[in-house]
Amino acid sequence: MPEQEAAGHQETPAQEVGDFLRRRREQIAQRWADAALFRTVFTVSREEAVEAGRAVVEALAAVAAAERVEEQEADGFAVVREQLARMAASRSRAGSTNSQISAEVDALRPAVVDLLVAELADQPAEHVRESTTALTVLMGTLRLVVLETLLSAGQELINRQHLQLLEVATPVIKLWEGIVAVPLIGTLDSARSQVVMETLLDSIVEQHARFAILDITGVPTVDSLVAQHLMKTVAAARLMGAECIVSGIRPAIAQTIVHLGIDLGSVKTRASLADALGYALRQQGAHIVPQEPHDAGSR
Amino acid sequence: MTGAFPSPYGGQVPVLRIGDVLLVTLQGDLHDGTAEQLQQDVSEAAADSRVKGVVIDLSGVEMVDSFLGRVLSDIAAKTRLLAAETVVAGMRPAVAITLVELGLTLPGLRTALSSDEALRLLGEASISPRHGRTRQESP
Amino acid sequence: MQTAGGVSACLPIHSDLDLVWVRQHVRQAAAQLGFGLVAQTKLVTAASELARNTLVHGGGGQMACAPVSRGGVPGLRLAFSDEGPGIPDLEQALRDGYTSGEGLGMGLGGARRLVHEFAIDSRPGSGTTVTVTSWVSGPPRPREEK
């Protein structure tokens, strides 16, 4: 049996797969256009699906030619990564789970492998095995690339939701004309303190509030970074022309603040939200008098 | 969002006189030179007796750096020597946060939410001690 | 999304008016890259401080502005350079309250607090370059660095 090669020169299996993909690009793209992944994403026209398929085949060919079939970071993928991300995102929005999408990518494989096997029909078995293995590995890498885009999109979503959660968790309440309050509940980290600060200051403008109350009754611990954020918020509110009162500093937190060596001297504090509201009302000129019992005068 | 609008303000900032109060409205992006000129103009105008307050409206200002911060502090210090009080009004949240982060809390300045409020503040301070509404309350 | 068209620029810093252009350019570039209002204001203020340093202490120079990206997070990098006398004692210059002229002594130290990354390169006699970078959504976690 002659040890001959398709084109006569010595090619690695990966390079051979690269040549094959390039040669059969059109054919593969046509087949893929009918596969679930392409068909369901590119619904406008079949030509659009074929076009997308061509781009992917082209990228795979480049990766194979560079003999980097196992590397997700191969340069060839860079060109189509965004397109793959869009396709994956589109399937994801349509309700497919990650493993379903992964299976759809995997479903692209048989069409290509069959073509390769058919082309290598008269080659020695060993050769066929090597080439198909290279192609299979390459298709596996493609699947990983798609999955990776899905996961990073997921991470982005989580980040976005985290941010939304921060905003939801920071309601600003108008207590009285010119008095707003933010009751903080749960652990304050630096990111949340930042959101609290911005939300409170914005509400000072919106509500034209001369008094802003930061109630930290529901905050279990305060570290030095958070304490600094509180002080910055108070200072910024003052620059805007509002007075910021911190209420509900529990004894344990007061202790921590002292231990941290933070001077809250410039910050107006009150034991409770009610005390803070009372203070703000009096500052606005309101008189708070307990209602007299009805029968007080008739006796 | 507001990027297109403010054009460099090369000229002079007008110092309006309303009764016994000087009203200065800053807008857009100020040249250093314009800010220094303003400082001088306000000092001169405040030197005229009967002026008991200066209101600097910053609601149209998108940025205060240490230079402009110093100009504001200096105006306040100078007018105080002339027995007038300076109130900075309408500073935007983003500007306030940035100033604090920069390390400038401008402790000597009085502030107000708007120039209306600032005018009221200045009016109150002088007219009615009878009112008895001290801003300091013992804790 | 990625219209970085008007972001890259190199602006001269030789007068008061140039400071205004620097601020406006940074404001627009930051807005274009998706910085929020507070982040924009911080960056513009830092740029103003640094540009004034370049003008006052460096005898004029320039600002180079370029979009950057790390781990998919866009950012803005500003480099202020002059050929002035340089800064003999960097530590001292960065300390709060230090001033060699006008201002409140907040120039360098203050600007550093307004950005995510701050680097200064200065040798007496051969000028100063201050490079600052801020990212759209806080400093990105240093994962997937290649």
Side-chain angles (χ1 to χ4, degrees):
Chain A
M1 208 154 258
E3 198 56 46
Q4 58 101 243
E5 245 264 40
H9 55 118
Q10 204 58 38
E11 269 190 321
T12 66
Q15 287 169 334
E16 195 185 1
V17 167
D19 284 347
F20 154 78
L21 288 170
R22 220 156 245 153
R23 234 175 14 250
R24 300 299 195 109
R25 189 187 69 169
E26 198 54 38
Q27 223 168 331
I28 299 169
Q30 290 289 344
R31 289 191 181 194
W32 281 359
D34 298 319
L37 183 63
F38 284 88
R39 200 186 59 229
T40 50
V41 171
F42 299 97
T43 47
V44 178
S45 72
R46 187 167 184 283
E47 183 45 41
E48 196 189 13
V50 175
E51 184 57 46
R54 278 190 205 111
V56 176
V57 179
E58 194 68 45
L60 289 173
V63 173
E67 295 189 72
R68 300 180 66 183
V69 291
E70 289 174 38
E71 297 174 46
Q72 294 174 53
E73 299 303 329
D75 298 336
F77 285 122
V79 189
V80 285
R81 186 165 271 123
E82 202 184 323
Q83 180 192 320
L84 292 171
R86 272 204 312 275
M87 291 168 64
S90 154
R91 296 302 292 141
S92 187
R93 273 196 305 277
S96 299
T97 63
N98 286 3
S99 55
Q100 282 168 331
I101 297 171
S102 171
E104 285 179 4
V105 178
D106 198 41
L108 299 176
R109 187 164 48 90
V112 202
V113 173
D114 288 353
L115 259 182
L116 181 68
V117 170
E119 192 171 299
L120 298 176
D122 53 355
Q123 297 286 320
E126 176 67 4
H127 185 126
V128 174
R129 200 182 55 75
E130 276 178 7
S131 299
T132 49
T133 304
L135 180 58
T136 307
V137 171
L138 179 61
M139 293 303 290
T141 308
L142 174 69
R143 184 151 64 128
L144 287 177
V145 169
V146 172
L147 273 182
E148 182 192 81
T149 70
L150 274 171
L151 292 178
S152 70
Q155 188 59 45
E156 254 171 56
L157 185 70
I158 290 172
N159 289 348
R160 229 182 8 257
Q161 285 174 340
H162 180 64
L163 215 69
Q164 284 167 355
L165 195 66
L166 284 179
E167 277 154 24
V168 173
T170 315
V172 179
I173 300 159
K174 179 180 169 185
L175 290 183
W176 202 263
E177 199 61 44
I179 305 173
V180 292
V182 181
L184 291 171
I185 292 165
T187 311
L188 278 177
D189 57 15
S190 187
R192 190 163 168 225
S193 307
Q194 193 73 34
V195 174
V196 168
M197 183 199 267
E198 291 182 24
T199 318
L200 185 69
L201 298 183
D202 282 341
S203 73
I204 286 175
V205 176
E206 276 159 31
Q207 304 287 341
H208 206 76
R210 273 181 59 200
F211 295 90
I213 302 168
L214 266 173
D215 183 71
I216 61 170
T217 310
V219 177
T221 55
V222 165
D223 62 12
S224 63
L225 212 64
V226 171
Q228 260 164 19
H229 265 294
L230 291 179
M231 294 178 64
K232 283 179 187 170
T233 308
V234 172
R238 193 195 72 84
L239 283 175
M240 293 171 57
E243 186 172 6
C244 191
I245 306 142
V246 180
S247 67
I249 302 183
R250 292 183 299 116
I253 291 185
Q255 196 95 39
T256 322
I257 289 176
V258 173
H259 272 300
L260 290 169
I262 295 161
D263 180 17
L264 282 183
S266 59
V267 177
K268 174 93 43 193
T269 56
R270 282 294 178 271
S272 68
L273 182 56
D275 291 339
L277 175 61
Y279 165 79
L281 283 171
R282 278 191 300 277
Q283 288 293 299
Q284 289 204 329
H287 291 283
I288 306 165
V289 278
Q291 197 176 13
E292 298 204 359
H294 277 306
D295 52 353
S298 59
R299 232 168 247 183
Chain B
M1 48 186 285
T2 41
F5 163 63
S7 62
Y9 208 104
Q12 230 173 328
V13 181
V15 178
L16 294 179
R17 183 162 174 167
I18 304 171
D20 47 10
V21 172
L22 299 177
L23 177 62
V24 181
T25 305
L26 300 187
Q27 205 96 50
D29 200 331
L30 252 66
H31 280 207
D32 290 2
T34 310
E36 277 172 337
Q37 179 66 44
L38 171 72
Q39 189 176 339
Q40 206 176 328
D41 291 351
V42 172
S43 308
E44 272 165 27
D48 174 5
S49 57
R50 300 188 308 270
V51 169
K52 67 159 207 257
V54 179
V55 174
I56 304 177
D57 189 329
L58 289 186
S59 59
V61 171
E62 292 181 340
M63 184 223 61
V64 174
D65 59 8
S66 62
F67 184 85
L68 191 50
R70 180 180 65 96
V71 168
L72 296 175
S73 293
D74 283 1
I75 290 179
K78 285 208 178 102
T79 54
R80 202 172 301 127
L81 287 177
L82 298 163
E85 184 153 33
T86 297
V87 181
V88 168
M91 186 185 289
R92 298 184 185 184
V95 175
I97 292 174
T98 303
L99 266 181
V100 170
E101 210 74 60
L102 193 59
L104 284 182
T105 48
L106 305 177
L109 277 179
R110 288 198 75 179
T111 54
L113 290 174
S114 62
S115 36
D116 278 354
E117 177 115 354
L119 290 170
R120 228 196 56 219
L121 218 66
L122 289 170
E124 243 173 42
S126 66
I127 306 167
S128 53
R130 175 191 60 85
H131 209 62
R133 262 182 52 201
T134 48
R135 266 184 86 83
Q136 268 310 319
E137 199 197 49
S138 55
Chain C
M1 187 65 186
Q2 65 264 44
T3 46
V7 173
S8 292
C10 191
L11 282 76
I13 302 173
H14 291 293
S15 71
D16 272 17
L17 184 61
D18 289 340
L19 296 188
V20 177
W21 294 131
V22 162
R23 290 195 287 259
Q24 296 205 346
H25 181 81
V26 172
R27 166 82 65 182
Q28 269 158 28
Q32 207 174 343
L33 289 170
F35 279 86
L37 186 57
V38 173
Q40 280 177 37
T41 308
K42 285 184 182 175
L43 203 48
V44 171
T45 310
S48 185
E49 300 292 337
L50 295 172
R52 185 172 289 104
N53 261 341
T54 302
L55 180 66
V56 176
H57 304 300
Q62 59 179 25
M63 177 194 76
C65 175
V68 287
S69 165
R70 190 167 73 187
V73 177
L76 191 61
R77 176 161 296 156
L78 309 172
F80 299 82
S81 48
D82 63 58
E83 263 126 53
I87 303 171
D89 186 346
L90 280 179
E91 292 226 350
Q92 188 192 26
L94 284 168
R95 211 174 302 143
D96 263 354
Y98 173 78
T99 175
S100 58
E102 40 209 298
L104 285 164
M106 292 292 170
L108 282 181
R112 180 156 70 166
R113 279 193 295 273
L114 295 176
V115 296
H116 293 137
E117 288 162 32
F118 183 99
I120 185 162
D121 179 24
S122 177
R123 272 173 304 269
S126 56
T128 303
T129 298
V130 180
T131 308
V132 298
T133 311
S134 277
W135 306 96
V136 163
S137 49
R141 282 149 247 137
R143 49 175 182 134
E144 66 180 34
E145 276 286 77
K146 281 171 254 170

